[in-house]
């Protein structure tokens, strides 16, 4: 079973204060780039894997999706999604993405935002997604970039000359990472970029687009704190097709 960190009170309280939690998709700087990867949503049956507060599920419903299924392990997330982002075409349910069994040939789009790096067995989940998509179905997801999460002790460092850098140690050593983010002992699983892409292809997906996200000049001008995202990639985005 995946670690259910979002139901830990101190973690959920901190997460609820983040810009993307308060403002939804508009609070996520990477959202315009993700949106450009999406197919037209009108009439699609969509599964939102790790739906969180339901912001994307609600967006898809408002865009005319025929049906949306939002899955998340966290009771807190499902409760918040149900309360704040309900819609007649959306169903929310609890599910462990490490163990979920998805129906065959049900959806035209599988979407996920910043969830899969919490999964130990990415290959199993990819097989389930391939199974649940109709032929030609799209798979669009984001994860923490492997460079961002590879280090056993991530975070900005300063060398003896005062130059700032991000450590990339143990990059080729895949597996469990434990970090302190909003709470102590958050477990994630590092995979190289090659492993992520090859897993998708091995399970029958065709890669349509791969983006190592960074902010635009206009975004940096509006929010100078985003400048540091130019120094190392934080988010990996992939669009694939069954």
């Amino acid at each position: 079973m995946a670690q259910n960190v979002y139901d830990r009170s101190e973690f959920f309280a901190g997460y609820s204060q983040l810009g993307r939690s308060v403002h939804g998709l508009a609070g996520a700087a990477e959202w315009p780039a993700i949106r450009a990867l999406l197919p037209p949503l009108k009439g699609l049956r969509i599964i939102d894997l790790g739906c969180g507060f339901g912001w994307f599920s609600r967006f898809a419903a408002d865009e005319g999706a025929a049906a949306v299924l939002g899955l998340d392990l966290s009771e807190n997330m499902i409760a918040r999604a149900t309360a704040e982002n309900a819609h007649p075409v959306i169903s929310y349910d609890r599910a462990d993405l490490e163990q979920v069994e998805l129906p065959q040939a049900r959806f035209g789009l599988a979407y996920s935002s910043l969830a899969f790096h919490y999964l130990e067995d990415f290959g199993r989940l990819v097989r389930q997604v391939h199974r649940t998509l109709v032929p030609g179905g799209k798979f669009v997801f984001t994860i923490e970039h492997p460079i961002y999460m590879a280090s056993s002790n991530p975070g900005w460092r300063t060398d003896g000359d005062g130059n700032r850098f991000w450590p990339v140690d143990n990059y080729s050593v895949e597996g469990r990472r434990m970090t302190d983010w909003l709470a102590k002992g958050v477990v994630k699983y590092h995979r190289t970029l090659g492993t992520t892409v090859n897993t998708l292809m091995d399970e029958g997906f065709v890669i349509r687009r791969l983006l190592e996200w960074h902010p635009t000049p206009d975004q940096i001008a509006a929010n100078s704190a985003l400048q540091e995202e130019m120094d190392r990639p934080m988010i990996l985005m992939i669009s694939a097709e069954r």
Side-chain angles (χ1 to χ4, degrees):
M1 182 176 180
Q3 183 190 41
N4 189 4
V5 68
Y6 287 86
D7 279 349
R8 290 167 56 180
S9 59
E10 72 276 23
F11 188 97
F12 189 73
Y15 183 83
S16 297
Q17 301 304 310
L18 298 179
R20 66 185 61 237
S21 299
V22 175
H23 303 294
L25 300 178
E30 74 275 13
W31 170 242
I34 298 171
R35 187 170 183 177
L37 296 177
L38 296 171
L41 303 184
K42 186 175 178 60
L44 281 185
R45 297 179 64 86
I46 298 169
I47 186 167
D48 184 358
L49 298 162
C51 64
F53 286 4
W55 295 113
F56 175 78
S57 292
R58 181 56 187 264
F59 170 79
D62 291 342
E63 289 288 300
V68 183
L69 174 60
L71 299 180
D72 204 285
L73 177 61
S74 165
E75 290 184 5
N76 286 338
M77 291 294 197
I78 293 297
R80 185 70 68 86
T82 301
E84 297 185 1
N85 284 303
H87 190 281
V89 306
I90 302 176
S91 299
Y92 293 112
D93 200 3
R94 286 193 71 203
D96 182 355
L97 298 185
E98 290 276 21
Q99 302 175 4
V100 69
E101 297 285 342
L102 299 178
Q104 189 166 1
R106 178 69 62 84
F107 300 101
L109 170 67
Y111 173 86
S112 183
S113 174
L114 299 176
F116 296 161
H117 47 264
Y118 293 113
L119 302 183
E120 183 175 12
D121 193 346
F122 179 60
R124 183 189 184 279
L125 187 279
V126 171
R127 287 191 293 275
Q128 287 293 316
V129 172
H130 191 272
R131 166 187 168 83
T132 206
L133 287 175
V134 299
K138 305 300 191 294
F139 186 20
V140 176
F141 68 92
T142 71
I143 57 174
E144 289 186 357
H145 196 289
I147 285 177
Y148 176 80
M149 67 175 298
S151 177
S152 56
N153 187 21
W156 292 110
R157 303 285 187 274
T158 303
D159 65 18
D161 297 323
N163 300 308
R164 193 186 64 163
F165 67 95
W166 188 272
V168 189
D169 56 287
N170 294 303
Y171 182 83
S172 296
V173 181
E174 299 184 315
R176 194 172 188 263
R177 300 289 191 272
M178 184 175 289
T179 63
D180 296 338
W181 178 64
L182 302 179
K184 291 186 177 299
V186 178
V187 176
K188 302 177 183 179
Y189 292 91
H190 165 65
R191 286 172 287 273
T192 66
L193 181 59
T195 292
T196 299
V197 170
N198 289 332
T199 299
L200 290 164
M201 294 192 295
D202 289 347
E203 298 301 336
F205 281 101
V206 176
I207 306 298
R208 294 302 185 192
R209 199 75 173 168
L210 186 153
L211 298 178
E212 298 172 288
W213 179 79
H214 59 79
T216 66
D218 286 345
Q219 287 180 311
I220 294 172
N223 180 5
S224 61
L226 290 174
Q227 178 64 49
E228 71 177 25
E229 304 303 335
M230 299 298 292
D231 293 338
R232 55 94 179 92
M234 181 181 181
I235 298 174
L236 177 67
M237 303 178 177
I238 296 179
S239 172
E241 183 174 333
R242 186 191 190 283

